[in-house]
Every structure is written in structure tokens, then in C-alpha cells.
Amino acid sequence: MKLSCFKAYDIRGQLGEQLNEAVAYRIGRAFAEHLEAKEVVVGADIRLTSEPLKLALSAGLIDGGAAVTDLGMTGTEEIYFATSYLNQSGGIQVTASHNPIDYNGLKLVREGSRPISGDTGLDKVKSLAESYDEQDVAVSLAAYAKKQMQGEFAKGQGLVNKQALFATDRYHNQSVLEAYTEHMLGYIDPGQLKPLKLVVNAGNGAAGHAIDAIEKALHGKGVKIEFIKVNHQGDGTFPNGIPNPLLPECRHQTREAVIGHQADMGIAWDGDFDRCFLFDEQGDFIEGYYIVGLLAQAFLTKNPGAAVIFDPRVYWNTEDVILNAGGRPVMSKTGHAFIKERMRKEDAVYGGEMSAHHYFRDFAYCDSGMIPWLLVAELLSNSGKPLSQLVSERIAAFPSSGEINRIVDDADATLARILKTYQPLANRRDNTDGIGLEFDNWRFNLRKSNTEPVIRLNVETRADKALLQQKTTELLQLIDSK
């Protein structure tokens, strides 16, 4: 059979034909066989279908020759942590992150929490998973099956009997939450944290238990931080909508809580909490681009001369911060597999993308949604400045448009039209990811989506908001013209 749920860097698909328990079984078995995995750690987010998919995945891993350590309900970064901490052959998180409720997916890493993408083994896992005989898969799954009533999978009650997994003696549950929490706090000096009031919005996703564990650990160290919890309890029906603070319509609850409680900062996460989004003390959302600069400065203060990785969509502010802090700026193609690979090559202490993915050398070069806000809380404590002041100076120095998406009939023709107009006037062209053209006092990056007829535009200037507005409008008009 052909599997359409495999993407360039992970696995995502609509529930039913694209992704179901039989497909999860195939993927688990193929993963174990391809990696010749001895031990694999698994976890799942809060979605109702994540637990049954994880159990079917575990059955496949066991039949592929691996022992399975199940962490239970987790965020993706807990799998990254556990894969390295427990010295596993690999790790798999069942999650659809911020995708619609009728989707789910899997994120896979190999030993050392190294990513698996199309050119580093994911294509081979796909081919192997597709090769299994359908009847053989059905018979194999039946060995783990419980009586199933129609519609139970959608309600979170799937095919695989957990007791049948335990009976193999190759499946067990374990928690690494205490060790994970200790590692998170290792990025800061808790003794430096001043009394702060923080709004934390888990979005009814997977972040709540990690927040609680960090809160308990901080209070145990005498840190006087008050956590105001919004949508804290995990709920796979997502009564307040899919958690995705990148969308403006998903920000109002965090903003209102910050203002209403006069908090020092607001923090919101996506469903599997590998990304966090920050709000200043006025309730204003801070673009991820400027958080990259803040974190770069924080790391370079402790690691002078280190390399910092950033993506090419907008980078003037980040580059300026790195150079002024005595660091080494290194540009990488957008995407977690590219960033992680370049970080290893450069031994970079930190890497950041404007999309709110932040990567850390001491976290196996993986991304985390908990480390960033801890570092910013420490920065607030040490600087004595409100968050709005810390970022407003940088926003004024390097204003940016934010990423603007446009649906187009022909992405290649649109790119060609933009190039014909602007390249003759440019001082420099960069092809790291899409097209980047630089002029005396402004620049832009234009990329096409790999999966849909969409063009993504980012514009930035040097301390000139009027020029930013003018050039953004100008480019969008040309993009929208036929």
C-alpha cells in the first residue's frame, strides 16, 4: 500500500485512510527494523486519537524487535530528552501539534535525539512500512487486539489492548518528568529569579503537567513566581480551539489575562509545546523574530564567542545582536532538520527561527518550548526592565512585516516577476532559502511553500517604519497582480 502521511521531516495525515492504527503499526515495525532498534521511547499528546495510535505504534515496534518505554502523555521535547537521557535507539512522539482536530501524526528521532528526515532514513522507513502484506498486518495486530465497538477509535478507545503489550515483557511505562524538569532549570540560575507574575496558557494541550512540575521545582528552591493558569487542563476535544498562538485569533485569552492580572509576562504554547509564544506586560504579542535576538544575547553572555544559528527570512536584528555580543552569526536554511544539522557542524550554542522554534546545544540540539521562557524570566530579573522595553528598542531598530502568506496561481511565475522587478536594484542576493534581496536600507525574503500554492513574504528595514509599509505594500501588489 502507498502511505501519503509521510512528509519531508515528519508524519502527518488525516485520520482514517491517511493515518490509522494499522498505519501506526506499520510505521513502528518499519522504524524498529530499519534502525535495528533495541529500545525505543514513545509518548503522545492530549488528542483523543493519540493514545490508541501510540499503542498500535508500540505493537509494531515490538514486532520489529524493539523494547518500548512509554512515557504516557507528553510533549515532543520530553521525547527528545528521554531518547538521550535513557540512551534509547530512538524516540517517537504521537502528535499533530497545531493541525486540525481530525489530523494526527508522528515525530521521529534516532539515537542521540537526531532528527530523521527524508534524506536521513524517513524515506526508507516509508518504503519498508508500505511493503508489509495487508493480511500479515491484520493478523499481527489481532494478537494485540481487544473487542472494539464502532467509533471507539475516534473517542480514544482503540484496537490495541495495553495488557497484551505488557504480556510481551517488552513494554513498560516510565516517567522521566523529574529528570526533565531538573534539566530545564539547569539553563538558568533560579537564585537570580525575582518575584514575577506569569500568565501561562497551555491551550488545553500537553503543556500543563510540565508547567506544574517546573512550578513545583521553582517553589521548592524558594523562587517566588506566581503562575496564573489559563486553559491549563489537557482536553483532547480542545474546547477553546486548537492551541496555535501563531494565529492572531488564538491570542486574546492570554492578552486579557496578562492585562487583568497585571502580569510581568504571558506565555502560550502550541499543542505539543515545542514552541512557546511570549506576551509583554502590556499584553502585546511579541514576534518570534525578536525573541531569537533576546535568547542569542542571553546565551552569548554566558558563552562568549559562540556560534548562533538563524534562518534567512528576517535576520538583521539577530545578526546585529550576535555581533555586538561578540558571537559568530551563522545563517541556515529554514526547517528543524537543517538547523539541527548546522548547529552540530558549527557546535552552535543556540539556534532560533522566527516561527518560535528555538534549539539548544545542551538539549541534544533539539527545540524546546520551556527553555525560552525560563531564559527570558531570568533576563527580566537581571535587567530590571519590563519585557516591552527589552524588545521595543530592537523593534524600532529593525522593524519587520512578519510573515505574510499569499495564495497564488503559479508560485514560480510570481517569483520570476518579483525577481525581474527588484533584482537589478539589489545590492545582494541570497539563495539560502527562497529568494533574499538586500538593498541600502531594506531587504525582503520570498519563499514558496513545498505543499501548497502559497508564497511567503518577509520584509524588514533599518529603523524605518514608513519604508517598511511602503515596500511591503509594493511587493504585495506585485504578488497579487496577474
Side-chain angles (χ1 to χ4, degrees):
M1 69 178 298
K2 294 295 181 183
L3 298 177
S4 60
C5 56
F6 278 77
K7 310 303 178 185
Y9 309 115
D10 58 13
I11 295 165
R12 279 172 287 119
Q14 195 163 16
L15 295 165
E17 290 298 314
Q18 285 188 308
L19 186 60
N20 54 37
E21 289 166 284
V23 171
Y25 171 88
R26 286 174 179 269
I27 293 169
R29 184 167 152 187
F31 181 88
E33 290 181 2
H34 171 64
L35 292 182
E36 298 181 353
K38 302 300 182 186
E39 297 174 307
V40 177
V41 63
V42 300
D45 68 14
I46 197 66
R47 288 173 185 251
L48 299 182
T49 57
S50 291
E51 179 70 10
L53 285 172
K54 182 186 66 177
L55 296 180
L57 169 76
S58 298
L61 287 165
I62 291 168
D63 286 355
V68 176
T69 299
D70 187 345
L71 301 187
M73 197 279 290
T74 59
T76 298
E77 66 188 65
E78 292 178 90
I79 293 297
Y80 295 155
F81 172 77
T83 301
S84 295
Y85 177 72
L86 298 175
N87 196 28
Q88 301 280 287
S89 307
I92 303 177
Q93 167 77 3
V94 180
T95 180
S97 186
H98 58 278
N99 288 110
I101 201 164
D102 59 336
Y103 278 72
N104 217 320
L106 299 93
K107 295 181 179 179
L108 298 75
V109 292
R110 58 192 309 142
E111 74 285 347
S113 305
R114 291 175 177 266
I116 298 178
S117 58
D119 55 358
T120 58
L122 194 59
D123 287 345
K124 292 181 180 178
V125 172
K126 177 177 183 288
S127 296
L128 197 54
E130 290 174 338
S131 71
Y132 301 132
D133 179 75
E134 195 163 341
Q135 182 61 30
D136 177 52
V137 169
V139 170
S140 298
L141 262 176
Y144 299 95
K146 60 186 177 183
K147 184 178 180 182
Q148 187 182 30
M149 303 297 290
Q150 186 176 3
E152 283 192 345
F153 172 62
K155 297 176 184 177
Q157 301 295 320
L159 175 66
V160 172
N161 187 335
K162 201 169 188 177
Q163 295 308 313
L165 295 176
F166 282 121
T168 66
D169 290 326
R170 298 182 63 78
Y171 174 89
H172 72 280
N173 294 123
Q174 184 174 342
S175 173
V176 298
L177 184 58
E178 185 176 346
Y180 161 81
T181 303
E182 183 180 350
H183 183 86
M184 291 294 104
L185 296 187
Y187 289 88
I188 61 169
D189 178 357
Q192 295 293 314
L193 294 179
K194 295 180 179 178
L196 294 171
K197 186 183 292 186
L198 304 178
V199 167
V200 289
N201 186 349
N204 303 117
H209 75 286
I211 298 166
D212 290 342
I214 291 172
E215 176 188 35
K216 181 180 178 181
L218 286 173
H219 288 173
K221 296 177 183 293
V223 177
K224 297 183 183 303
I225 289 184
E226 179 184 353
F227 290 84
I228 299 152
K229 298 173 181 178
V230 178
N231 302 328
H232 192 68
Q233 296 303 315
D235 186 337
T237 67
F238 297 118
N240 296 287
I242 303 295
N244 183 15
L246 199 58
L247 300 176
E249 59 267 29
C250 295
R251 300 172 187 167
H252 67 279
Q253 286 184 306
T254 309
R255 172 182 169 80
E256 290 169 3
V258 168
I259 295 170
H261 291 273
Q262 297 183 320
D264 296 288
M265 179 169 65
I267 311 147
W269 290 266
D270 61 1
D272 61 337
F273 72 88
D274 61 349
R275 294 182 300 160
C276 74
F277 302 83
L278 303 185
F279 298 73
D280 68 20
E281 77 285 355
Q282 299 169 9
D284 291 333
F285 178 82
I286 303 170
E287 293 289 345
Y289 172 38
Y290 300 102
I291 302 302
V292 175
L294 278 182
L295 297 184
Q297 184 177 9
F299 273 103
L300 290 170
T301 299
K302 301 176 182 180
N303 302 269
V308 173
I309 310 296
F310 53 89
D311 72 291
R313 288 172 285 183
V314 280
Y315 66 85
W316 273 353
N317 176 68
T318 306
E319 187 177 56
D320 184 70
V321 169
I322 295 168
L323 291 173
N324 286 331
R328 183 162 57 89
V330 180
M331 185 186 293
S332 167
K333 190 173 181 179
T334 304
H336 80 97
F338 298 112
I339 298 273
K340 292 171 182 175
E341 180 183 357
R342 192 64 186 271
M343 286 185 69
R344 283 186 164 90
K345 181 180 177 181
E346 304 288 345
D347 191 31
V349 67
Y350 163 69
E353 294 182 277
M354 63 171 290
S355 57
H357 282 289
H358 302 280
Y359 309 86
F360 306 93
R361 180 177 63 193
D362 295 337
F363 196 55
Y365 300 96
C366 292
D367 38 333
S368 165
M370 289 293 162
I371 299 171
W373 72 263
L374 285 165
L375 287 165
V376 173
E378 184 181 50
L379 192 60
L380 288 177
S381 298
N382 290 334
S383 70
K385 296 179 180 179
L387 185 52
S388 61
Q389 186 177 344
L390 290 176
V391 297
S392 62
E393 297 165 0
R394 304 309 306 182
I395 293 172
F398 298 98
S400 69
S401 64
E403 188 154 273
I404 303 170
N405 295 323
R406 281 290 195 269
I407 297 174
V408 295
D409 294 332
D410 188 331
D412 289 325
T414 303
L415 287 172
R417 189 163 64 247
I418 296 293
L419 271 177
K420 182 179 179 181
T421 301
Y422 287 98
Q423 183 161 311
L425 307 172
N427 299 329
R428 178 173 176 265
R429 173 174 171 173
D430 176 71
N431 296 320
T432 303
D433 199 351
I435 298 166
L437 294 182
E438 186 173 317
F439 308 86
D440 288 343
N441 205 34
W442 72 286
R443 63 172 295 276
F444 74 87
N445 176 272
L446 196 62
R447 302 160 57 241
K448 63 178 183 178
S449 168
N450 293 322
T451 58
E452 51 189 343
V454 168
I455 289 283
R456 310 189 193 281
L457 172 69
N458 285 278
V459 187
E460 61 182 330
T461 69
R462 298 188 191 277
D464 195 332
K465 286 187 177 181
L467 181 63
L468 176 70
Q469 182 61 51
Q470 174 194 336
K471 293 302 181 182
T472 302
T473 301
E474 195 177 279
L475 280 158
L476 288 174
Q477 288 174 346
L478 190 54
I479 289 169
D480 293 338
S481 66
K482 303 297 182 183

